[in-house]
Amino acid sequence: MQASSSGIPPTSAGSKSADTSEIIAIIHKKASSGRRRMDPTREWDCNDCEDEFYPQHVKERNRWSGAAYRGDWDEIFSVFLSRPWSITAPRSRLTNWNPQIVAEESTMMGRFANSRRLYTKKELHMKNHRRSGYTVLHQAAYCNASEEIIGGLVALGCYRRLASKDGRPVDIARARGFTNLIPLLEPPPDRLPNISDEQMEKIQTHLNEVVKEESRNLFKPETMTMIDLKILREVEKIWMPVPGMYGVSISSVVLGGTTGR
C-alpha cells in the first residue's frame, strides 16, 4: 500500500472533514445494528502487478494507495463516491452526494479496504524487491491516524491480523509509540483457537503447494501474493480468485473454527 519505494510514509495524523465524520458515523451505526453483512465471503486479490489490470482500475488503486500514504482520510472515504472497485464508475457523483447513500455502499469495500499497493512488472522482477504488504489500516497505524479514522476503517472490514513487512497494524502502532491506537487495532477473538501458529504455518505451506500445482502455472509467485490464512482467525470465509481459473475458497469452519461474527 505504501506509495514510495522508501517505505517511510508521512507521520502526520492526516486530514478529516465533517463529511468524512458523517460517513464514518453511519458506517458504525450500520455495523453495530447488524444490518450490514459486509462480504460474507471476503475476497483476496492476489495480483500485485498493475500491468494485469485495466488502466482505470490502476488509476483508482493508485489514488487509494497515495491517499493512504499521505494520511489523506478525506480522500480515502471520498473514494466511495467514485466506486473504485468498478471500472465504469460514474465520476459525476462527486457532487451533490448524500453521505447516507455513500455509506450504504460501504458493503462493497470489503475487498478494496484490504488491497495492497500495485507495482509494475519491472519493479516486481527487480533483484531484492520486497513488497510492503501495507493496506490502508497499516498505513493509518503508521501515520498515527485519529481513533475515529481507525475505528471507521475497522468497521469497513480492514483485517487487523494481516501482517505487512513491518507486522500487523497493532504491531506498527506499538513500535511507533501510538499506544492510544492499540486497543482499536487489537485483533478480534480468534476463530481458530485450537490451531497453533506452527500448525497454521504448515497448513499455509500445504495450501501454497496445492495452489501452485493445481493452477498449472496460472498462479505466479513473482507477481502475486498468496492468501494469508491467518485472516481466517478473523473472518469466516475467504476466496482468492486466480486469473484464468476459478480460484480458491476456504473457510475457518472447515479448519475447525467457530461460526458467527
Side-chain angles (χ1 to χ4, degrees), residues 162-209:
L162 183 60
S164 68
K165 67 179 182 64
D166 297 322
R168 303 167 302 171
V170 69
D171 300 324
I172 294 170
R174 185 177 287 112
R176 293 179 59 76
F178 305 143
T179 56
N180 60 306
L181 300 183
I182 291 175
L184 291 171
L185 293 171
E186 284 287 3
D190 191 349
R191 285 179 174 273
L192 299 168
N194 297 323
I195 297 180
S196 67
D197 290 342
E198 182 179 5
Q199 290 171 319
M200 184 63 82
E201 285 298 323
K202 291 180 179 179
I203 297 171
Q204 181 78 62
T205 298
H206 178 67
L207 175 68
N208 296 353
E209 294 171 351

Side-chain angles (χ1 to χ4, degrees), residues 27-163:
I27 290 170
H28 275 297
K29 183 177 180 180
K30 291 177 62 185
S32 62
S33 70
R35 287 186 288 115
R36 185 193 63 148
R37 179 68 174 177
M38 187 170 66
D39 287 2
T41 299
R42 302 291 189 95
E43 184 174 326
W44 174 270
D45 193 344
C46 66
N47 207 330
D48 295 323
C49 183
E50 67 176 36
D51 301 3
E52 303 297 325
F53 293 99
Y54 288 108
Q56 180 64 21
H57 179 83
V58 174
K59 179 181 177 181
E60 296 292 358
R61 281 277 289 271
N62 287 342
R63 174 190 171 198
W64 174 271
S65 298
Y69 177 81
R70 297 189 305 272
D72 188 346
W73 311 116
D74 283 347
E75 178 77 356
I76 285 294
F77 284 92
S78 74
V79 164
F80 291 128
L81 309 179
S82 55
R83 299 175 66 93
W85 50 85
S86 171
I87 293 171
T88 59
R91 305 291 294 184
S92 60
R93 300 185 61 215
L94 286 169
T95 58
N96 300 320
W97 61 278
N98 183 327
Q100 178 71 47
I101 295 175
V102 171
E104 288 295 329
E105 293 180 351
S106 67
T107 56
M108 300 293 291
M109 290 297 293
R111 172 188 178 193
F112 209 70
N114 293 291
S115 63
R116 303 170 303 280
R117 178 195 167 191
L118 293 174
Y119 299 89
T120 64
K121 188 172 292 186
K122 181 179 180 180
E123 287 176 313
L124 290 168
H125 285 87
M126 288 176 61
K127 185 178 180 180
N128 299 324
H129 175 81
R130 187 183 179 192
R131 284 163 264 189
S132 74
Y134 265 53
T135 67
V136 64
L137 191 61
H138 294 89
Q139 208 74 68
Y142 193 105
C143 293
N144 192 24
S146 70
E147 294 177 26
E148 180 185 16
I149 292 297
I150 295 289
L153 293 174
V154 169
L156 279 175
C158 290
Y159 302 137
R160 284 170 282 177
R161 291 185 182 273
L162 183 60

